[in-house]
Amino acid sequence: MAALPAQIAHAQASSPAYMALLAGVDAAAVTSREALAALPLTRKSSLAAAQAARRALRLGGYAAGAPRRIFQSPGPLYEPEPEHEGSDPWRIARALHAAGIRAGQLAHVGFSYHLTPAGAMMEAGLSAIGAASFPGGVGNTELQLQALIDLQPEAYAGTPSLLRILLEKAAEAGVTLPLLKRALVSGEACPPALVAWFAERGVDAYQCYATADLGLIAYQTRAREGLVVDEGVIVEIVRPGSGDPLPDGEVGEVVVTTLSRGYPLIRFATGDLSAVLPGASPCGRTNQRLRGWLGRADQSAKVRGMFVHAGQVAEVLARCGQRGRARLVVDGELANDSMCLQLEVAEPAPGLTEQLQAALRDCTKLRGEVELMAPGSLPNDGRVIEDRRPVG
């Protein structure tokens, strides 16, 4: 937080996009989470739109300075490897070290090296801690298995699905990988059952949460209680559709502000759901912790031919001065859709139901019912729109 005012000022001075987005903001006053929450969100859709509309400005004007390399994610969306960020521009070394990977070891990298940055991200982190890497990439599993047999790496860094495939193929071939003991996996869900499956085969697997835009966000430690937030970012959990910060324990959208000088994303909404775990990790690390990936926040449903989004639900609540947990339930069958806005409220004011119904009609152009509920009635899962209609 002490570095935040300087980062805001840097973004305003060096990024054409943030010059406009943060115009009039006093950077020196952004010294708290409350002040940060008053700034506008930046979404992936905003980056993609700016890149498509402002090709004369590199990366849509969001970059600050010249990148060393530029990668591509589906969309297409282009992400830089920022210059002047040291030997580990995505800050992956901390997650690799927490997973037990050390200098002098060899890690088999099972992420793509083509277009996307994931392979380069891991390789840079391995280099920063003094470990070597084999750029396996994705696919060509027979060749990758042969490399594992020939090189006998001590570690793996890549998707959990590829690691499972390689271990299964090794078992089918009757070969062992006695030195492969550690893994850092990411890019996909890795449930406890799969972690246990790896452990049964001698591989101690840890997870990290990283994106091409932000680099490392959080990583697992030996305590295996949530993911510890990296020191190079500030993480908020906000209500989907509104951007309002939520208290610890409440599931919401992950919003990240990075201290990267080359790509200073401010309040970047990831579209992922998570929650803050209260307290510090038993491993001794004291930074904020996340529960892990809990789903996607970009929720919508099509009702009577009209799309309804989480942001519209947030607007309904804002118009009526409500900040409680809410859910828009869509139900019905055979082209007979119905909507019901459920809202937790301790002491409803007279006429609140009617106000909410009117606001719902104004914001969505659709009629719906309203159900006021006691606090704690709705699940803490971050869902704002629940579609209960039968599939098929």
Side-chain angles (χ1 to χ4, degrees):
M1 296 302 293
L4 182 59
Q7 180 71 345
I8 300 295
H10 170 68
Q12 290 172 315
S14 306
S15 162
Y18 279 115
M19 286 182 193
L21 195 60
L22 301 179
V25 171
D26 179 7
V30 186
T31 58
S32 66
R33 287 184 172 271
E34 292 75 18
L36 178 62
L39 303 183
L41 294 176
T42 298
R43 295 196 172 275
K44 275 186 183 289
S45 57
S46 302
L47 299 183
Q51 289 177 10
R54 306 164 71 185
R55 290 189 172 94
L57 293 175
R58 185 156 292 159
L59 298 172
Y62 280 89
R68 286 189 290 215
R69 289 185 286 182
I70 295 178
F71 298 91
Q72 184 193 77
S73 292
L77 181 65
Y78 299 95
E79 300 106 352
E81 176 186 350
E83 64 172 351
H84 308 312
E85 300 287 335
S87 61
D88 184 23
W90 293 280
R91 309 176 314 283
I92 301 294
R94 183 173 285 113
L96 292 162
H97 189 274
I101 302 172
R102 297 291 182 266
Q105 294 181 340
L106 171 65
H108 187 105
V109 178
F111 277 122
S112 175
Y113 279 79
H114 177 62
L115 294 179
T116 64
M121 291 166 73
M122 288 294 162
E123 188 170 287
L126 289 163
S127 177
I129 62 175
S133 59
F134 175 77
V138 296
N140 299 311
T141 53
E142 298 298 332
L143 289 175
Q144 294 211 46
L145 177 58
Q146 189 60 52
L148 284 168
I149 296 168
D150 293 341
L151 297 175
Q152 291 292 320
E154 292 90 351
Y156 169 90
T159 62
S161 60
L162 179 58
L163 177 58
R164 178 165 189 161
I165 290 170
L166 292 171
L167 291 176
E168 288 175 337
K169 285 187 173 293
E172 291 170 5
V175 299
T176 59
L177 303 168
L179 299 184
L180 184 58
K181 299 293 185 184
R182 299 282 183 173
L184 179 67
V185 297
S186 190
E188 301 167 347
C190 188
L194 185 53
V195 174
W197 189 92
F198 290 138
E200 290 169 1
R201 288 149 183 82
V203 180
D204 198 12
Y206 292 80
Q207 302 176 60
C208 78
Y209 173 29
T211 72
D213 324 273
L214 300 159
L216 182 65
I217 299 173
Y219 58 96
Q220 200 170 34
T221 73
R222 64 179 182 271
R224 296 193 183 277
E225 291 189 12
L227 302 173
V228 177
V229 172
D230 179 63
E231 284 85 341
V233 296
I234 298 170
V235 171
E236 304 169 80
I237 302 295
V238 306
R239 193 175 302 284
S242 75
D244 294 335
L246 292 172
D248 289 358
E250 190 84 2
V251 176
E253 184 175 10
V254 179
V255 170
V256 181
T257 296
T258 174
L259 299 180
S260 166
R261 301 289 288 174
Y263 203 38
L265 296 177
I266 309 298
R267 298 203 80 209
F268 183 76
T270 64
D272 294 325
L273 291 175
S274 192
V276 171
L277 278 177
S281 172
C283 75
R285 295 176 187 256
T286 58
N287 207 12
Q288 182 186 40
R289 294 180 298 161
L290 300 179
R291 278 179 53 188
W293 186 82
L294 301 176
R296 292 292 295 170
D298 41 0
Q299 305 160 29
S300 64
K302 198 170 188 179
V303 183
R304 296 173 227 150
M306 302 279 287
F307 275 106
V308 180
H309 301 275
Q312 291 170 298
V313 177
E315 184 179 354
V316 170
L317 301 184
R319 288 191 181 192
C320 299
Q322 300 300 309
R323 301 177 66 88
R325 191 184 296 166
R327 174 170 301 198
L328 185 68
V329 177
V330 182
D331 211 335
E333 55 185 9
L334 297 176
N336 187 25
D337 298 333
S338 64
M339 295 193 317
C340 180
L341 177 62
Q342 298 176 334
L343 172 66
E344 293 183 356
V345 55
E347 297 180 2
L352 177 59
T353 297
E354 291 74 17
Q355 293 176 25
L356 289 165
Q357 287 175 329
L360 184 63
R361 185 174 60 252
D362 289 344
C363 294
T364 67
K365 311 307 178 189
L366 298 164
R367 294 182 181 275
E369 299 299 317
V370 170
E371 181 182 1
L372 302 181
M373 313 174 75
S377 301
L378 292 173
N380 180 23
D381 56 9
R383 296 181 70 178
V384 175
I385 296 179
E386 180 181 358
D387 194 339
R388 294 181 181 172
R389 293 171 295 186
V391 177

